[in-house]
Amino acid sequence: MTMEKIRIAIQKSGRLSEKSLALFTECGINLTAGSGKLMADSADFPIEVLFLRDDDIPQYVADGVADVGIVGENVVKEKHKTIDIAERLGFGRCRLALAVPKIVNYTDVTYFEGKKIATSYPDILDEYLKKKGVNAEIHEISGSVEIAPGIGLADGIFDIVSSGSTLFSNNLKEVELVMNSEALLVANQKLTEAKRKIMNDLIFRIRAVQKARRNKYIILNAPVKNLDEIVRVIPGMKSPSVVPLMDKGWVSIRSVIAEKDFWEIIERIQELGAQGILVIPIEKMII
Ligand code: PRT
Ligand code: ZN
């Protein structure tokens, strides 16, 4: 009897490759071959990894050649294949936006009426323009979209923006945000029961890793007189553990705090007399 596995498609080389592989490692899934090969498998988890161009991933997953895949939301939306979004992965964040030359006196989206827009995402753009009631000519190109206005190929562009530095260095400015994107775990809609179970195991691990990333373990010494107030600031998962110190006026507190509230919490508890604050990264978190 062969053990059931799931086959997952990830980007072969590009902006999502490294983070996709890092996610497997953090989930305790070590792969046997490098990303240079077409496929890899793992001794730790019933998984087989297929390395592809990101544009091909939705189709492979829709066809069932791969059971699941990791791909940008922008690509999923552009390809509109019939696949499920199984989990949002929180990396590869970017946005799809319209941009025009800096010198343009832009007021609103009607600027694009009768204009030429260069993009690698014609379907998403077309849908957006229809919704806005704007008629523009969509010029599909597969790369270096940002140079199109400079060489007279288009009046504006519709492209992925992350820091905005590519737009800046090409004398363009972002004028309309069309969609936000992040990496998604996508799945074939007709997975067998056994494969669905493996996928859910994978999602369970991914969530534990993500939760851990969003939180920090904190240890600190606190004066007993302010204990109640300090505990209100760092409530912990259930409630913090409080350990007495030899010095009767002090206790040691251990708790978990959210990364995003980190500096605010540290400031508050310092005001309340906390000392010797240690902040420790968490590897996995299962509640
Ligand atoms: O070869 P393959 O087809 O697999 O890769 P690709 O070249 O099509 O894609 P790749 O590797 O560039 O990006 C893969 C995915 O990463 C995209 O589909 C997005 O979901 C996501 N992502 C996140 C980005 C960016 N951030 C990003 N900044 N994809 C592209 N960019 C490019 C953008 O096209 C522009 O040229 O970076 C430039 C803008 O960046 P800033 O920081 O200058 O604004
Ligand atoms: Zn691509």
Side-chain angles (χ1 to χ4, degrees), residues 99-152:
V100 296
K102 254 181 225 157
I103 49 157
V104 167
N105 188 7
Y106 185 87
T107 49
D108 62 86
V109 73
T110 60
Y111 166 82
F112 290 102
E113 184 67 38
K115 299 272 198 316
K116 222 182 199 187
I117 309 170
T119 187
S120 310
Y121 296 92
D123 280 29
I124 299 174
L125 177 58
D126 186 53
E127 190 185 310
Y128 176 80
L129 293 174
K130 284 212 175 89
K131 200 177 74 196
K132 296 286 178 186
V134 172
N135 281 301
E137 189 187 326
I138 298 176
H139 193 91
E140 184 177 353
I141 48 179
S142 60
S144 305
V145 172
E146 66 279 359
I147 65 167
I151 59 172

Side-chain angles (χ1 to χ4, degrees), residues 11 53-56 75 121:
Q11 195 186 19
R53 289 275 317 269
D54 67 345
D55 314 72
D56 297 332
V75 176
Y121 296 92

Side-chain angles (χ1 to χ4, degrees), residues 32-245:
T32 49
S35 59
K37 299 234 176 80
L38 182 65
M39 280 182 90
D41 56 17
S42 173
D44 317 312
F45 196 81
I47 201 169
E48 213 168 42
V49 182
L50 193 59
F51 300 99
L52 298 172
R53 289 275 317 269
D54 67 345
D55 314 72
D56 297 332
I57 294 175
Q59 180 77 62
Y60 272 69
V61 173
D63 291 346
V65 176
D67 301 305
V68 292
I70 295 178
V71 63
E73 199 169 354
N74 50 318
V75 176
V76 173
K77 180 129 196 253
E78 180 65 25
K79 305 286 177 191
H80 38 78
K81 302 289 175 203
T82 313
I83 48 179
D84 286 337
I85 295 174
E87 188 74 356
R88 311 186 74 82
L89 298 175
F91 62 85
R93 283 185 195 279
C94 56
R95 52 195 188 274
L96 273 169
L98 278 159
V100 296
K102 254 181 225 157
I103 49 157
V104 167
N105 188 7
Y106 185 87
T107 49
D108 62 86
V109 73
T110 60
Y111 166 82
F112 290 102
E113 184 67 38
K115 299 272 198 316
K116 222 182 199 187
I117 309 170
T119 187
S120 310
Y121 296 92
D123 280 29
I124 299 174
L125 177 58
D126 186 53
E127 190 185 310
Y128 176 80
L129 293 174
K130 284 212 175 89
K131 200 177 74 196
K132 296 286 178 186
V134 172
N135 281 301
E137 189 187 326
I138 298 176
H139 193 91
E140 184 177 353
I141 48 179
S142 60
S144 305
V145 172
E146 66 279 359
I147 65 167
I151 59 172
L153 191 67
D155 303 293
I157 66 164
F158 175 62
D159 199 10
I160 294 176
V161 184
S162 170
S163 66
S165 65
T166 301
L167 292 184
F168 185 80
S169 56
N170 285 281
N171 288 312
L172 299 168
K173 61 180 177 186
E174 190 176 341
V175 290
E176 301 289 342
L177 168 66
V178 176
M179 74 173 276
N180 287 303
S181 178
E182 66 185 282
L184 303 176
L185 183 74
V186 293
N188 180 275
Q189 291 193 326
K190 296 193 182 89
L191 292 183
T192 61
E193 197 65 27
K195 285 185 174 180
R196 192 163 295 278
K197 189 184 169 305
I198 299 171
M199 179 181 80
N200 287 336
D201 285 351
L202 178 65
I203 292 173
F204 179 81
R205 293 191 187 196
I206 291 171
R207 287 187 184 159
V209 167
Q210 287 176 333
K211 232 173 265 154
R213 264 195 225 137
R214 287 196 298 265
N215 291 278
K216 295 271 181 265
Y217 190 66
I218 180 170
I219 305 176
L220 57 107
N221 293 329
V224 172
K225 65 177 168 47
N226 288 343
L227 181 58
D228 288 350
E229 245 183 298
I230 291 178
V231 167
R232 262 200 296 280
V233 183
I234 43 169
M237 283 196 279
K238 258 204 170 54
S239 74
S241 34
V242 178
V243 182
L245 295 186

